[in-house]
Structure formats: C-alpha cells, structure tokens
Amino acid sequence: MFRAVHSSMKTWTIAAIAAVLAMVMMLAGCAGGTNSQQNNGGGASTSPDTSQTDPTSSAKPASSNNGKTETYKPADGNATATLKIASGSENKEVSTAIQRAVDDSKIGVTIDYMGSLDIMKLLQDGGGKYDAVWPASSMWITMGDTKHIVKNAQSTSTTPVVFGIAKSKAEKLGWANADGTTKPVKTQDIIDAVKARKLTFSMTSATQSNSGASAYLAFLTAIAGKNQALTKADLNNANVQTSVHTLLSGVDRSSGSSDWLKDMVVANPDRFDAMVNYESLVIQADKALTAKNKDPLLAVYTSDGIAVSDSPLGYVDRGQNLDDAFGSFAKALQSKDAKLLFERAGRRTGLAGVLTYKNDAKVKESFRTEWGINTGADALKTIPLPAADVINESLNVYQSNLRKASWTVWVVDYSGSMQGAGKDGVVRGLNAALDQNQAKQSHLEAGKNDVNILIPFSGDAQDPTKATGAATTPLLQRGQQTDTIGGTDIYAGLEKALQNLPANTGDYTTAIVLMTDGVSQTGNKDAFTKQYKASGHDIPVFSIMFGEADPAQLNELAKLSNAKVFDGRSEDLASIFRQVKGFNG
C-alpha cells in the first residue's frame, strides 16, 4: 500500500493532494505489500530476528567528490548490476540501511547527493545519467516528472519537519517541561517569540532544500488558517505575507543543505540553539550533542500544521533496462532488517508515522521522549500540499518578497594565474548567481532589499562595487572588465569584506564568499583574524576552491566562521557559484 508516484500525473489538484497526504500518513507500515517478509507495521513490537547477527553491515560506502558522492558495493564485492541514484543529502544518515539493501540484493549503488529542487530540474531535463531518484518528498518527483519517466516510486520512510530548540531555550519560552517533553506550540507562538526577539533559528532555503520548502509551506498553510490546501489567493493575502515575513525574519543562518545545517549546529551548539529540520536529523544532532555533554535540541511540532517528508525512491526509465535491478534493490530497502535500520537512524516506518519497532533498544535510543520526540500519530497534524502551480508560485513569492534579505560580499581572485580559463569561469559563475535571468532558473533571483558586493583582489584588495536588488549589471560588468594581474592575498580581500558588512547584520542573512585559485600570502592573516573575532558578528566565509588553492587555508577559514569549502576544481564554476548563493538566499 505504499503510495506510488504515477508518472502520468501532470499536476496536483487540491482534492487530489488532500487524498495523497492522507495516504502519506499510512505509507510506511505497508511497504512492499507483496513481500512475504513484510511486517504488518502499525507499531508492531516484534523486531526482526537479530539473535544471530545484527543487521548493521560492516561494509562502509566509499566517498568521493567532497562527500557529494558515495558508492556502495555488496559485502562480497560482486554486484550483479549498479544503479546511479540522485538523492537528497539527508539520506547520508541512513547509510547502514542502504548498505544492508545492497548486500541483500547484490545490486551496487552510486549515490550523488543534491538538493530536492536540483532533482526536480534533473527530471524536467530527462533524468540525465541517473537510474533512480530519491528526494526527500514526492512533490519534487510530481513537479519534475513532466516527461513521465519515473516508474514504481514508493516511500522508504517518513519524517516530519520540526523545530529543534535547545532544551534550556525551549524551557525559557515555556514550550517544554523539565523532563524534555514539549507542549503544544502554534505557528503564531513562533511568530510572537521572533517578534519579541526571544527566538532566532537556522533553516535551509525554501528554494534550494526540501526541509526549508516543506517548513515554509506549513507556515503559509497554518497562517492562512483554513485547514485546507494553500491557494494563490492565500499567497496574495497581505496578512498571510506579513506574518510569514515576520516569522522568516528570525532566520539567523541560511543553508542549501539539511544535512550540513545539522552538522553546523552540532559543531557550534553555543552559537546555534535552534534550527528547522527533519525530525530524523534533530535525532542525529542530539546523539552527537549529548555525547559531548551539550544541551540537546527538543523537537517542537507545530500543532496547527506540519509537513511530513515521505522519502520516495523511484526508477528513472531512460531505456537502460535496469528496472529488474532497481526492483531488487527497492524490495531489499523495504525488508524487515532495512526498516529496522531506518528506525534506528531516526526515520519512521510504521502506519500513520508511528514506529514499527518501538521496542527495539536502539530504536528507543533514537526516539527519546526527553528529546521532545513524540511518536504518537496525534503529534503530526499534516498539512495538505497545494497544487503544483501554487507550490511554484509560493517559491517565487518566497524568493522575491518573503524571505529575509541577504547581504553577500563576493571576494574574487583576479591574480595573474586567473588569466584565461580561470577568469572565464569566474565570469560565468557570477552571471549564473547574479544575472537575474539566469538566477531565476534556479530560484536565486534577488529580492528588492538584497545586497551583493564584489571585491576583486590579487596582491591587495580593490574598491568594492555594490548592487542592490535586481540592479546587478554594474557588478557583473566589473567582474568582466577587471584585469588579472599580480599575486594572491585572500586576507587583504577578506579584510576589505569585513569593512563592507551591513551596520546591523541582524537585518540580513549575511555571508562572505571567497573564490581563489592559489596559495595565499599570509602577511595579513593575523590582522584579518583579529578583526574578524573583534567584530563579534560570526559571518560565514564560504570558500570556492579552484586551481592550486590551499585546502588547509580555506578549511581554517571555514572553521573560524562556521562555514564550508566548495570544491570548484572538478565541477563547472557556474554550478558551484549557484550552490554557494543557495546558502545565502
């Protein structure tokens, strides 16, 4: 009874989506109905027979491409076929279940991790080189599969999108008890806490990641207050827009990846004490936080509307004749042992979102009431998803009007080594992120209050060029006209960037993006570091590594600023610039 995503469906009507979401609440316990090994689900207390062996495989996936790709092979090394899968980053957390399915099916898999909207676009373009897609939500398959190439898509597990709030803060807000159990919290309660400056939170971009998009749709639906799917009239309602804009003003760090957002919070719990993310990733964060004797995040389920991700795996039929291999792997992923491993990782597989193996000791270690986790179906008041055209319009409204304004300082290397292909790549990258016609294709267009600043540097930093809103042409012209000459001093460029931040950084999601192709001089390093720490702003410095750039220098900057390094050495720089922009609006 798993809900299949029919490739013939072109759009979702409101009535159809309401029915689909009702089925999402029933999906996980009925996976693979013809599988003779299938448990009845519904919170069954009988676990698979693990008396002889734990289902966790000792084999580990091989990672490459800066963690964006993982390859799984059967434990005996003999795969009968290999599938290439485009997957959401959150599935990194269920690697043991994937490995178990690979071992059982003898089907190898190579997984490329990307955003859910990237998966949607991939399907719109015909599926590329992929044999299967595994986004966080079936809505991206439905909206992207305009060529009707996705077959046999079925949910693998479910997880709601929740607020994860540090226990001490949740108690101060009156949303949690001393034992960690949480109280009913409405979306308006969240808005009131943001307005009173009692709550800020980190969240993925609604136009780049499913967790952000799902949370945003839940906010809109709850605020509209009609207990039905969102409509375009609701989107155009001034009161709805004002309330959602106020709520999103509480975002203090944006991200293009749910998994990276979780890692950032875990690495810096004293700085980041609240995030919007999957319940499963809140659980993973809490395992790491409690191991470090840090305050856990309590899962807060908004009582007037919540989004549930159904994690569908679907075959991309390009005529490659791997449907039997896909069927074997998909069946193994729905086995008792695989489902147990999903639940141990914090995913739900039972009827109506309850747990199939709630009495398993390791499942209990994940779904802890002292972390605010509520496994009762009554905790998940699931929103009905809107029609596809309403979802698209809601993303446009988010990007152009409702999200918090962004302030991005681009610190770009124009040293002599960038001459030729290097500069050409930078120009393409800047245009991909900042030319409004190109940016709109990736839902990265500038809002009216967004600010972008370009600071070219070589052996020293040049004066900045500033662009507000969509008027980015002077900045792009500067990027094209600047000559490449001299040495490389990234710290001089970064010092200049610190001098060009907003007077009140809390009014924006703010980031510095550094792009360099070489090893930097270090004479200005100490001055920059001192200036950065003295500012007290904690502005992320996202680096794009290219050419002969020194990873150690860039990783040091990422650690200093709670950011990350993007590897542009093996990918087209235009794609990398778009990814980086997705981390800051």
Side-chain angles (χ1 to χ4, degrees):
M1 287 180 59
F2 256 122
R3 177 174 53 77
V5 181
H6 298 290
S7 60
S8 61
M9 191 182 344
K10 293 184 178 180
T11 59
W12 292 352
T13 65
I14 292 176
I17 291 303
V20 166
L21 261 292
M23 293 183 70
V24 166
M25 297 304 295
M26 299 191 302
L27 14 116
C30 307
T34 60
N35 186 347
S36 62
Q37 295 181 335
Q38 183 63 38
N39 187 283
N40 288 329
S45 61
T46 301
S47 294
D49 181 6
T50 58
S51 58
Q52 300 299 318
T53 180
D54 188 284
T56 304
S57 171
S58 60
K60 301 294 182 183
S63 297
S64 62
N65 194 19
N66 203 24
K68 293 180 181 178
T69 300
E70 288 184 338
T71 299
Y72 294 79
K73 297 179 180 179
D76 63 9
N78 297 315
T80 59
T82 298
L83 301 170
K84 192 167 185 63
I85 302 174
S87 167
S89 65
E90 68 284 344
N91 286 328
K92 291 180 181 180
E93 305 298 332
V94 294
S95 60
T96 54
I98 297 170
Q99 185 63 58
R100 180 68 189 211
V102 166
D103 291 343
D104 290 348
S105 66
K106 306 299 182 186
I107 304 298
V109 296
T110 296
I111 298 181
D112 285 347
Y113 294 106
M114 60 185 70
S116 292
L117 273 81
D118 291 324
I119 294 175
M120 179 187 74
K121 294 169 193 165
L122 176 77
L123 291 175
Q124 290 172 343
D125 292 338
K129 58 188 177 182
Y130 293 97
D131 305 306
V133 290
W134 195 1
S137 172
S138 55
M139 71 177 173
W140 307 115
I141 295 180
T142 303
M143 292 201 299
D145 189 25
T146 56
K147 300 182 185 298
H148 316 308
I149 56 177
V150 178
K151 314 293 183 185
N152 302 319
Q154 294 183 329
S155 173
T156 58
S157 62
T158 61
T159 188
V161 179
V162 301
F163 276 84
I165 302 176
K167 184 175 183 292
S168 56
K169 170 161 279 191
E171 288 185 56
K172 288 180 181 177
L173 290 167
W175 298 347
N177 301 311
D179 63 359
T181 57
T182 54
K183 304 174 183 180
V185 176
K186 293 184 177 182
T187 303
Q188 186 62 49
D189 296 328
I190 303 286
I191 295 172
D192 291 343
V194 169
K195 287 176 72 173
R197 299 185 181 275
K198 294 180 179 179
L199 176 69
T200 59
F201 55 93
S202 302
M203 175 177 158
T204 61
S205 167
T207 63
Q208 305 302 310
S209 171
N210 177 72
S211 65
S214 296
Y216 166 64
L217 290 172
F219 298 157
L220 285 167
T221 304
I223 291 168
K226 296 181 179 178
N227 294 317
Q228 63 185 32
L230 195 74
T231 66
K232 287 188 176 181
D234 295 326
L235 281 176
N236 293 326
N237 183 302
N239 291 330
V240 171
Q241 288 199 10
T242 297
S243 292
V244 174
H245 180 72
T246 299
L247 196 160
L248 294 175
S249 72
V251 174
D252 67 345
R253 180 69 75 89
S254 183
S255 168
S257 164
S258 305
D259 195 61
W260 183 81
L261 182 70
K262 178 264 298 179
D263 290 342
M264 179 193 72
V265 171
V266 168
N268 305 277
D270 297 328
R271 162 64 178 89
F272 302 104
D273 57 9
M275 70 174 177
V276 174
N277 215 324
Y278 302 111
E279 175 193 67
S280 60
L281 293 187
V282 171
I283 289 170
Q284 294 298 326
D286 282 346
K287 289 180 178 180
L289 290 169
T290 54
K292 299 193 296 185
N293 294 316
K294 295 292 186 178
D295 204 13
L297 303 176
L298 301 188
V300 174
Y301 308 80
T302 45
S303 59
D304 51 353
I306 198 166
V308 176
S309 295
D310 58 339
S311 190
L313 176 69
Y315 179 60
V316 178
D317 189 354
R318 301 177 288 104
Q320 72 273 45
N321 296 320
L322 286 173
D323 47 333
D324 287 343
F326 172 83
S328 296
F329 173 70
K331 181 178 179 181
L333 204 59
Q334 296 170 6
S335 70
K336 289 181 178 180
D337 284 345
K339 288 174 69 178
L340 174 60
L341 292 170
F342 273 114
E343 292 202 350
R344 288 179 175 179
R347 301 283 185 92
R348 302 173 184 233
T349 69
L351 184 67
V354 298
L355 300 177
T356 305
Y357 303 116
K358 63 181 180 181
N359 289 338
D360 177 80
K362 291 186 178 180
V363 172
K364 289 181 179 179
E365 289 177 5
S366 291
F367 291 88
R368 300 186 190 181
T369 56
E370 62 264 34
W371 291 345
I373 304 298
N374 188 337
T375 57
D378 58 347
L380 307 182
K381 184 180 179 182
T382 309
I383 64 163
L385 287 178
D389 62 332
V390 178
I391 294 175
N392 274 321
E393 182 61 23
S394 72
L395 296 179
N396 291 334
V397 172
Y398 169 90
Q399 188 65 24
S400 63
N401 194 32
L402 298 187
R403 65 181 168 84
K404 194 173 187 176
S406 66
W407 185 295
T408 310
V409 185
W410 303 82
V411 181
V412 180
D413 191 344
Y414 280 84
S415 60
S417 58
M418 289 291 293
Q419 185 175 3
K423 178 181 174 180
D424 291 344
V426 165
V427 171
R428 287 197 308 274
L430 288 172
N431 277 273
L434 300 177
D435 176 272
Q436 297 308 294
N437 291 327
Q438 293 188 44
K440 191 169 185 177
Q441 297 174 20
S442 301
H443 284 293
L444 290 172
E445 64 269 29
K448 63 181 181 180
N449 294 319
D450 286 352
V451 174
N452 285 279
I453 296 173
L454 174 65
I455 299 177
F457 75 92
S458 51
D460 55 16
Q462 299 182 29
D463 291 334
T465 297
K466 181 178 179 180
T468 301
T472 56
T473 299
L475 188 150
L476 295 173
Q477 290 175 340
R478 175 82 180 279
Q480 174 68 61
Q481 295 168 2
T482 299
D483 293 329
T484 54
I485 189 171
T488 303
D489 188 346
I490 63 176
Y491 304 104
L494 293 173
E495 279 193 273
K496 181 77 74 171
L498 292 179
Q499 297 164 14
N500 285 273
L501 295 177
N504 186 353
T505 56
D507 292 340
Y508 301 86
T509 59
T510 309
I512 297 170
V513 179
L514 167 68
M515 188 278 169
T516 184
D517 81 330
V519 178
S520 177
Q521 305 167 28
T522 58
N524 289 314
K525 176 182 175 180
D526 290 344
F528 162 72
T529 303
K530 183 177 180 180
Q531 184 179 350
Y532 181 90
K533 292 180 177 179
S535 72
H537 289 319
D538 185 41
I539 304 301
V541 179
F542 295 112
S543 299
I544 300 175
M545 180 166 52
F546 183 66
E548 301 301 320
D550 182 0
Q553 288 181 327
L554 302 184
N555 283 321
E556 187 176 29
L557 288 169
K559 184 176 181 180
L560 171 71
S561 64
N562 301 316
K564 69 174 293 184
V565 178
F566 294 80
D567 193 345
R569 296 172 298 183
S570 58
E571 292 188 51
D572 179 67
L573 280 177
S575 174
I576 295 294
F577 271 73
R578 281 193 297 267
Q579 288 180 43
V580 177
K581 185 57 179 168
F583 274 68
N584 196 48

